Amino acid sequence: GFKSFCITKTFSLSVGNAQGFKKIYLKGGIKMNYKIAVVAGDGIGPEVMEQNILVLNEIGKKFGHTFEYTHVLGGGCAIDKYGEPLPQETIDICKASDSVLLGAVGGWQWDNLPGDKRPERALLGLRGALGLYANLRPATLHDALKDACPLKPELVADGVDIMVVRELTGGMYFGEKGRKQTDMGEAAYDVEQYSEKEVERITRKAFEIARKRKKHVTNVDKQNVLESSRLWRKVVEEVAKDYPEVTLEHMLVDNCAMQLVKDPAQFDVVLTENMFGDILSDEASMVTGSIGMLASASLNDTKFGLYEPSGGSAPDIAGKGIANPIATILSAAMMLRFSFDLDKEADAIENAVAAVLKDGYRTIDIMSEGKEQIGTAQMGDKICEYIK
Ligand code: IPM
Ligand code: MN
């Protein structure tokens, strides 16, 4: 079974029959066998990942693919076993895979460790080592979940469908940091720095995505104060010239925080730097009912990607079987779509999630009156059932 997480282990699961493989192979020359590195991590990570794998296997069965999972350690569980959050072996196995699925990292046990020894280093280290500079976080309000949205119904009557495109390997997350003595006592700093090339590549991603959506990009920065934002905005304007069919709008980050709860329907693609994107994507997720719904893809310039829910490890509810696995499962759908070009398969997951919600099944975080509350495993089961 998939019960023993936090150990390095390879599972190989063959599904479908040889004939089926051959047929599809001849049809489109589509790759049938995918190697996936799994970093289940800490807290609710392993529980939601278990459901995620069951759902992926159901997809494999239905469409005739083989997903081969290699479980690797990252985060707090790696600290406990190896004394470091991101063992080299984990990086190597992720690099050798077609994609990475990540659950969540972190927890109170490791909260007092120094910055470079914390579980979060696993995530930041992987993003850096794999060059995953583009983080896509779709915040979509499901029709069925309008009740779970904390905003007044009239504000979301026309629906919400935002794609946050967050730069993920620059800014103050990765800038120079340190401590120094000043006449005001010890001081600490994290440098916010962006180069033209870094801004250009994330901007191109945002515009390319906007092209396939409502063709509207809101660039979010703080150019009235920050020099890095002034360079950022200049580059965005340059790149925008290559996409005349896409409308570009600029918004200061404080205003954006306000607009997201005042009129979320105005947004299509939101382009922003690392730290602003971290904060705004959490805010956008609440508009959709719960952070337990928010998937995320982290991409580089190849087909490779790391897919994870935007939420954290939620140690307060870990092990209780009540966590919402949907964000993780929708992240796997993003993997099928972006990394493997398996659109039909991704649709099947997304449609199953929508149908389960429509039929009134809810985990506790999105529960509302008159609905049926179910746990993590039951939610996974239901989604598998609907895929079948
Ligand atoms: C996220 C998380 C991470 C981040 C943490 C865990 C390092 O909050 O993916 O949004 O800040 O990027
Ligand atoms: Mn975050």
Side-chain angles (χ1 to χ4, degrees), residues 137 166 278 282 310:
R137 297 189 161 181
R166 167 189 177 194
D278 179 44
D282 270 33
S310 295

Side-chain angles (χ1 to χ4, degrees), residues 29-321:
I30 298 167
K31 187 173 161 182
M32 305 304 304
N33 187 10
Y34 299 91
K35 279 208 210 105
I36 302 169
V38 178
V39 189
D42 312 314
I44 60 169
E47 327 167 25
V48 292
M49 189 60 75
E50 184 178 356
Q51 297 311 311
N52 194 21
I53 286 174
L54 292 172
V55 168
L56 270 176
N57 288 342
E58 202 59 53
I59 289 289
K61 231 184 271 172
K62 179 162 178 170
F63 294 91
H65 306 293
T66 307
F67 299 114
E68 185 184 302
Y69 310 101
T70 309
H71 289 254
V72 287
L73 290 177
C77 56
I79 296 174
D80 290 349
K81 181 130 192 251
Y82 299 114
E84 51 173 327
L86 182 60
Q88 185 60 40
E89 188 200 33
T90 295
I91 300 176
D92 294 343
I93 290 175
C94 287
K95 277 189 176 162
S97 303
D98 294 315
S99 266
V100 181
L101 288 173
L102 193 139
V105 295
W108 50 265
Q109 300 99 300
W110 308 284
D111 258 352
N112 292 322
L113 292 170
D116 58 337
K117 301 256 159 27
R118 291 180 59 97
E120 289 80 2
R121 278 311 316 165
L123 199 46
L124 300 172
L126 275 177
R127 289 171 182 171
L130 303 169
L132 306 169
Y133 67 85
N135 184 213
L136 317 185
R137 297 189 161 181
T140 316
L141 180 63
H142 281 263
D143 261 355
L145 278 189
K146 283 194 171 153
D147 284 351
C149 170
L151 299 183
K152 288 199 191 112
E154 60 266 32
L155 293 180
V156 294
D158 299 334
V160 177
D161 184 10
I162 305 170
M163 179 67 91
V164 178
V165 178
R166 167 189 177 194
E167 201 290 328
L168 203 60
T169 53
M172 56 178 120
Y173 274 68
F174 287 84
E176 192 193 327
K177 49 185 90 236
R179 303 267 174 134
K180 62 181 176 191
Q181 287 307 323
T182 71
D183 50 13
M184 302 284 278
E186 188 183 19
Y189 56 92
D190 302 88
V191 174
E192 173 80 1
Q193 175 176 312
Y194 271 106
S195 66
E196 290 176 312
K197 289 258 159 55
E198 286 175 304
V199 184
E200 185 188 337
R201 62 185 184 180
I202 189 70
T203 303
R204 288 203 184 280
K205 282 266 193 224
F207 275 82
E208 240 118 71
I209 289 162
R211 243 199 324 216
K212 295 184 200 143
R213 295 172 47 103
K214 284 182 251 153
K215 302 187 173 51
H216 187 275
V217 171
T218 308
N219 170 54
V220 176
D221 61 34
K222 188 71 185 173
Q223 72 104 37
N224 53 347
V225 176
L226 301 177
E227 197 55 33
S228 55
S229 280
R230 286 189 274 271
L231 178 84
W232 178 283
R233 193 178 281 207
K234 188 191 98 187
V235 175
V236 169
E237 279 175 351
E238 270 312 304
V239 172
K241 290 180 188 156
D242 293 342
Y243 304 84
E245 71 278 35
V246 177
T247 312
L248 170 65
E249 183 189 347
H250 297 293
M251 198 177 273
L252 296 174
V253 62
D254 48 350
N255 185 29
C256 181
M258 182 174 79
Q259 296 296 332
L260 273 171
V261 287
K262 194 174 160 225
D263 176 20
Q266 71 181 287
F267 295 102
D268 176 23
V269 172
V270 170
L271 163 63
T272 193
E273 64 86 56
N274 205 346
M275 178 60 91
F276 296 161
D278 179 44
I279 299 166
L280 294 177
S281 61
D282 270 33
E283 192 189 357
S285 79
M286 246 349 262
V287 170
T288 71
S290 165
I291 195 154
M293 297 292 301
L294 199 70
S296 128
S298 304
L299 309 172
N300 56 26
D301 277 325
T302 71
K303 279 285 177 190
F304 182 91
L306 181 148
Y307 298 84
E308 56 171 327
S310 295
S313 58
D316 51 326
I317 60 163
K320 295 190 178 158

